[in-house]
Amino acid sequence: MVDLKSQYNFIQDEVQTSIQEVLETSSFINGPAVKEFQRDLEHYLGVKHVIPCANGTDALQIALMGLKLQPGDEVITADFTFAATVEVISLLQLKPILIDVDLLTFNIDPARIEAAITPKTKAIIPVHLFGQVADIDAINTIAQKHNLYVVEDNAQGIGARYVNNKGEKAMTGTLSHVAATSFFPSKNLGAYGDGGAIFTNDDELAYFIRGIVNHGMYERYYHDVVGVNSRLDSMQAAVLKIKLKYLDFYNERRKEAAIRYTQLLSNHPNIITPHRAQACDSHVFHQYTLRIVNADRDALVKYLNEHDIPCGVYYPVPLHRQKAYADVGVKEENFPVTNQLVKEVISLPMHSELDTDQIKYITDKVLRFLDQKN
Ligand SMILES: *Cc1c(COP(=O)(O)O)cnc(C)c1O
């Protein structure tokens, strides 16, 4: 699905020099590379505070801890996302309220949010799924009206730009109170191990969160709140610092690959190519995800695998039907779209190194399979 080896070959010298510097200074925890990467990322995003941490799941958890939510408080999020989003809500003894998604964008459907709000609702977590920005204007309007926090799960959307209804452009992760991202190797900005970060423009919240990631310490060995230990290590920061310089280039390459895929796959009766929301100025295609309609999606997955084409089904089971979240108390009829998408979606290989020949090979096989079966 990704080609991290080819990507590495291209930046090998720079990355090795950067890692070598960490080895020379031997400042492995909170070393200068972490600070530098943090500053570079703040500058890139146009956000006041980036707080690096150990992974994207921690970033989400810490962002919620920063908002001082109380056990039993309700947090609204999408039914169709990676489990980490809902996992952290449950771990903090908050109550996840799952909402169906939009059939075109696969993102949380704002039209369904308001009906789910109760006096206990405290926050909404939109996920920029597959690299496409969620409908942030609508979500922020609802949040303002009901005095709720908005926490972006930007693990799949880093580098995407959004145009709000006033025509202003801003990066994902800066569109809400606080955001979380992941530097898992296959993400658009991936480390060579685990990593994550929290973003906010709120000085007070940033200060509070900087303590939370460090055992609730604001002054050495004085623990004011119960915190966690969640750090981005210097080696990963050294890699990320280099890769951040290429993020726009990588995302541009993904977009070109997506355009090529769509050219070759549109106008087929069994394929629905990815839709792009109007306000999504730059879909960063963390995944290139098709809907396969009136054809056997699972047989297509098998066929592609047999022809050495990796592909993925993100996600085969909606969160409301996962055993771990069986007690969140939902009605099956509230999720018509997610229930449909889990049967239809297939993600094709997507990364910054995909070339024209590979795309042609992949799309030929997809089309051959669908045409054989009809
Ligand atoms: C990857 C991902 C996460 C978790 O990130 P990790 O670094 O793997 O902990 C959270 N949410 C979404 C939507 C993701 O894709």
Side-chain angles (χ1 to χ4, degrees), residues 54-60 80-87 127-130 153-157 180-187 193-196 286 315:
N55 58 67
T57 309
D58 273 9
L60 279 167
F80 191 57
T81 173
F82 181 55
T85 322
V86 66
E87 185 175 52
V127 183
H128 304 309
L129 200 74
F130 304 152
D153 180 342
N154 197 28
Q156 301 188 4
T181 204
S182 162
F183 305 123
F184 185 78
S186 65
K187 301 283 156 96
D194 274 311
H286 175 61
Y315 299 92

Side-chain angles (χ1 to χ4, degrees), residues 326-341:
D327 61 350
V328 299
V330 294
K331 292 201 194 87
E332 200 54 49
E333 68 261 30
N334 287 343
F335 303 96
V337 178
T338 310
N339 284 338
Q340 181 181 344
L341 288 177

Side-chain angles (χ1 to χ4, degrees), residues 250-267 273-276 281-285 287-290 348-351 354-356 359-360 363:
Y250 292 150
N251 283 340
E252 206 50 44
R253 293 276 302 156
R254 286 173 181 265
K255 198 160 83 187
E256 283 165 17
I259 290 169
R260 196 151 284 144
Y261 267 134
T262 295
Q263 276 167 352
L264 295 167
L265 293 173
S266 52
N267 303 318
T273 54
H275 173 84
R276 206 158 122 194
D281 186 53
S282 56
H283 190 323
V284 292
F285 289 99
Q287 298 294 348
Y288 182 84
T289 303
L290 302 172
L348 300 180
M350 173 49 79
H351 49 88
L354 264 186
D355 64 36
T356 317
I359 293 172
K360 183 84 175 69
T363 53

